[in-house]
Amino acid sequence: MFLQMKTTLFYIAMMLALVVTSCSKILDTTPQDFVSPINYYNTESELQSALAGVYDRLGDNRVYSQGMACYMVFSDEFFMKSQTSGMNANIVDASTLELNRHWEAIYTGIERANMLLENIDKAVKVTEEKRNEIKGQALFLRAYYYFMLADEFGPVPLKLQSSKSPEEAPLPGTPVKDIYARIVADMKQAEELVKSVSDYGYNTRITKTTVQGILARVYLTMAGFPLNDVAKYADARSYAEKVMLSGLHGLNPDFKQVYINHVQEIFDTRESLWEVEFKGTNQGEIQEGGMIGSYNGITSGNIEMGYGYDYVHATAKLYNAYAAGDQRKDWTVAPFRYVTTGQTAVKTNWAADQIYDRSNGKWRREYELLLPRNQNYTGTNWPLLRYADVLLMFAEADNYVNNGPSADAYKAINMVRRRGYGKDVLLPDVQADAAAGLSQPDFLDLIRNERLRELAFEGLRKHDLVRWGIYPSVMQAQVREYQANMPAALKDPAIAQAQRVTERAVLFPIPNSELAVNPNIKQNTGW
């Protein structure tokens, strides 16, 4: 039975690795029938099609189309309204379907990257420049997938060659430190191979500043839990500064326009360095729609105005984190919902005390250009790296390196804050600017709260809380907050969701789909 299952999984993996189902308008690929590596990877179009397959797993429902936008990243910024079962309620074990599919989707992306990297040099008629460009993207994406896995599961198998036979011995988990060493090595190699965003004019391909910005994130993660290698703060500062000095990026002067652009598929390459691209509503041959704005959007039962499942609700902690005059508040935390009367949806404001009733307002379906709207699927892109994040990462790393914030750190965080208040990002502002003379701990506290305000609902908060080493304690504080202040009709499910974030929840369990075929891997502590 074990061999039969393993053989079946091997052939499924081979099929997935060679059948490209992406029809992205940017990557310009078409579906391919099953082919062998012997007669594939020979032309530029075949290489681009294979690369599209590597990118494709980012858009899986259990990755950024849905899971990484809500139920896989529980934090202090949101709760899932009235959810009492399954992963939507933060009920997780090794058998959880969404978790198993998440793992499989990411390893499928890795398998596809490995196959492309192993065969790319066969394309002798493709210019070296083009092969290097494609190779750099594949290297980076493989590294990014391992960054996700190590962050979520800890010591996972580090598989750097594609599967050649179902009889191959399964790999044990690799120490997290070694995984990060490989991530850094591959990303640094990719940095030298990929092109500039100015060569594309869109942000759904990996570019040099994308690699640099994600390397800043990787180094900040290595500086915190679980490695606690504080020497990496200097590297994080350096790589964030590379992006800042490139001259290619800047803050969009209008905070809300950042998200309108995502909804309308407008590529603002200055603000948004990297996005997962979605397209269409899954009604025709092209099945590239996502669920951003529907699964995690404004409460609405009306398809005409844009259906929004009543799931992702803001916490009072998030709502109250914004000071008077901060324009991010009413865009991030929707002050209204759509109430349907007959065939008409009416925008209806929440009362002042209805804080926990408010939902994620960032990706508003009323701005969609593709009509008629679909209940579930949208073409809204998902931001993986924004310039505001780069500025905040720089400020955080600088604060550690200099034993307190330098003038450059203040400049970086104040640019983000000024934009949030609708001010000119380069001009001092009494209302928006951070208090001067903060100590290192106080500035770190400011950074933590500023990241909450600026990056809410973008899938980064749990990651931040984990690397800061405070995820369980922060979520247990949320339990007490919910018990004391949440309306009775909402509190019990929200309390249970937050209570499940204990020390073991810092890592997910290794899924049963891996345990069933890999006797060499160990389950994570507590699971």
Side-chain angles (χ1 to χ4, degrees):
M1 176 63 73
F2 173 77
L3 181 59
Q4 180 182 8
M5 180 183 298
K6 190 174 177 183
T7 302
T8 301
L9 289 173
F10 167 76
Y11 284 115
I12 290 173
M14 290 292 289
M15 289 287 289
L16 288 171
L18 290 169
V19 179
V20 176
T21 58
S22 172
C23 293
S24 165
K25 67 180 185 297
I26 295 303
L27 295 180
D28 191 24
T29 62
T30 55
Q32 303 289 327
D33 292 330
F34 179 78
V35 290
S36 165
I38 295 173
N39 56 15
Y40 200 62
Y41 303 104
N42 295 314
T43 67
E44 182 178 338
S45 65
E46 289 175 349
L47 293 183
Q48 295 286 11
S49 182
L51 180 61
V54 184
Y55 275 96
D56 179 71
R57 293 300 79 203
L58 294 169
D60 188 89
N61 260 9
R62 274 74 177 204
V63 189
Y64 289 113
S65 174
Q66 185 185 99
M68 296 296 287
C70 46
Y71 56 74
M72 296 196 72
V73 290
F74 271 94
S75 76
D76 56 345
E77 66 191 357
F78 75 91
F79 66 100
M80 298 288 277
K81 179 186 174 185
S82 303
Q83 299 301 296
T84 59
S85 62
M87 207 162 185
N88 264 3
N90 203 20
I91 298 174
V92 181
D93 62 31
S95 68
T96 300
L97 175 64
E98 290 82 3
L99 192 69
N100 281 260
R101 294 282 176 84
H102 178 76
W103 173 282
E104 291 161 7
I106 294 175
Y107 266 109
T108 296
I110 290 169
E111 180 76 359
R112 293 175 179 181
N114 284 335
M115 293 192 73
L116 175 54
L117 290 168
E118 289 166 4
N119 290 280
I120 193 168
D121 290 333
K122 289 173 52 183
V124 293
K125 294 183 180 180
V126 179
T127 66
E128 183 178 6
E129 179 185 13
K130 181 58 68 175
R131 275 188 283 123
N132 283 341
E133 177 190 350
I134 293 170
K135 180 180 180 180
Q137 293 174 73
L139 275 169
F140 174 87
L141 287 167
R142 183 178 70 180
Y144 185 78
Y145 286 136
Y146 274 119
F147 179 42
M148 294 176 68
L149 287 169
D151 194 44
E152 296 169 344
F153 296 96
V156 300
L158 183 62
K159 190 172 184 290
L160 300 174
Q161 291 84 35
S162 65
S163 298
K164 307 298 190 301
S165 164
E167 282 74 38
E168 290 178 9
L171 298 173
T174 300
V176 171
K177 183 178 180 180
D178 296 338
I179 297 174
Y180 273 98
R182 185 66 193 217
I183 290 168
V184 168
D186 281 356
M187 287 190 177
K188 283 186 173 182
Q189 185 179 357
E191 181 187 8
E192 302 303 317
L193 297 174
V194 298
K195 300 177 76 172
S196 166
V197 67
S198 60
D199 292 314
Y200 296 119
Y202 49 84
N203 51 23
T204 52
R205 283 238 188 186
I206 305 305
T207 64
K208 194 173 296 291
T209 46
T210 298
V211 176
Q212 292 163 351
I214 294 297
L215 266 169
R217 184 180 293 168
V218 169
Y219 279 127
L220 269 185
T221 305
M222 295 173 74
F225 180 87
L227 297 181
N228 297 310
D229 183 359
V230 296
K232 295 300 187 288
Y233 279 114
D235 295 306
R237 185 189 187 281
S238 174
Y239 272 89
E241 188 175 40
K242 283 186 179 185
V243 178
M244 294 159 63
L245 294 177
S246 71
L248 295 170
H249 302 287
L251 296 175
N252 189 311
D254 186 349
F255 179 76
K256 69 178 183 294
Q257 190 61 43
V258 174
Y259 305 97
I260 295 173
N261 288 341
H262 295 157
V263 173
Q264 296 185 341
E265 300 177 76
I266 296 170
F267 298 108
D268 175 6
T269 60
R270 287 189 60 77
E271 167 81 35
S272 195
L273 282 71
W274 184 26
E275 296 174 8
V276 179
E277 183 181 6
F278 295 102
K279 181 67 177 176
T281 58
N282 284 14
Q283 298 306 295
E285 179 183 349
I286 297 176
Q287 301 285 306
E288 289 295 318
M291 299 188 74
I292 309 304
S294 63
Y295 204 85
N296 65 338
I298 296 174
T299 302
S300 171
N302 187 280
I303 295 178
E304 182 180 343
M305 288 304 298
Y307 195 92
Y309 289 91
D310 196 17
Y311 288 157
V312 180
H313 280 239
T315 63
K317 179 176 182 176
L318 173 61
Y319 182 83
N320 293 326
Y322 299 97
D326 193 332
Q327 298 177 6
R328 294 172 294 186
K329 181 177 189 175
D330 283 342
W331 189 265
T332 301
V333 183
F336 63 88
R337 76 283 197 193
Y338 290 104
V339 176
T340 302
T341 303
Q343 299 298 313
T344 305
V346 179
K347 188 180 290 188
T348 306
N349 288 335
W350 294 108
D353 61 347
Q354 291 180 296
I355 294 175
Y356 280 108
D357 293 284
R358 304 175 189 225
S359 50
N360 171 10
K362 279 191 167 177
W363 297 280
R364 304 189 177 192
R365 299 198 63 188
E366 63 189 89
Y367 289 94
E368 289 176 15
L369 300 179
L370 181 60
L371 302 175
R373 296 181 177 91
N374 179 270
Q375 176 170 324
N376 293 316
Y377 294 102
T378 76
T380 297
N381 286 357
W382 177 256
L384 287 173
L385 180 64
R386 293 198 291 113
Y387 189 62
D389 188 7
V390 174
L391 292 172
L392 294 175
M393 288 192 291
F394 173 85
E396 181 179 348
D398 180 273
N399 181 52
Y400 187 91
V401 169
N402 292 304
N403 197 31
S406 70
D408 289 335
Y410 266 106
K411 179 181 178 181
I413 195 172
N414 283 337
M415 288 175 67
V416 175
R417 288 178 59 83
R418 290 167 191 164
R419 196 265 298 271
Y421 283 78
K423 309 293 185 179
D424 188 317
V425 300
L426 297 178
L427 297 178
D429 185 86
V430 173
Q431 183 184 28
D433 286 0
L438 292 175
S439 66
Q440 186 189 58
D442 287 344
F443 194 80
L444 175 59
D445 190 55
L446 173 65
I447 287 288
R448 288 175 173 176
N449 288 320
E450 202 59 46
R451 290 184 67 82
L452 172 65
R453 288 184 282 264
E454 176 69 24
L455 302 170
F457 300 123
E458 296 184 35
L460 290 171
R461 183 64 175 176
K462 175 186 174 183
H463 168 80
D464 283 342
L465 295 174
V466 168
R467 68 181 177 85
W468 290 327
I470 59 175
Y471 184 43
S473 62
V474 165
M475 293 306 291
Q476 293 309 308
Q478 284 299 110
V479 171
R480 297 188 290 274
E481 155 64 22
Y482 297 156
Q483 290 170 334
N485 298 312
M486 184 175 274
L490 298 174
K491 71 166 53 179
D492 287 347
I495 289 169
Q497 291 164 24
Q499 281 178 330
R500 295 184 180 110
V501 180
T502 58
E503 290 297 329
R504 77 169 187 169
V506 171
L507 294 177
F508 284 132
I510 303 298
N512 279 344
S513 59
E514 179 68 17
L515 296 172
V517 297
N518 188 351
N520 297 323
I521 196 166
K522 296 179 180 179
Q523 183 57 278
N524 285 326
T525 302
W527 297 103

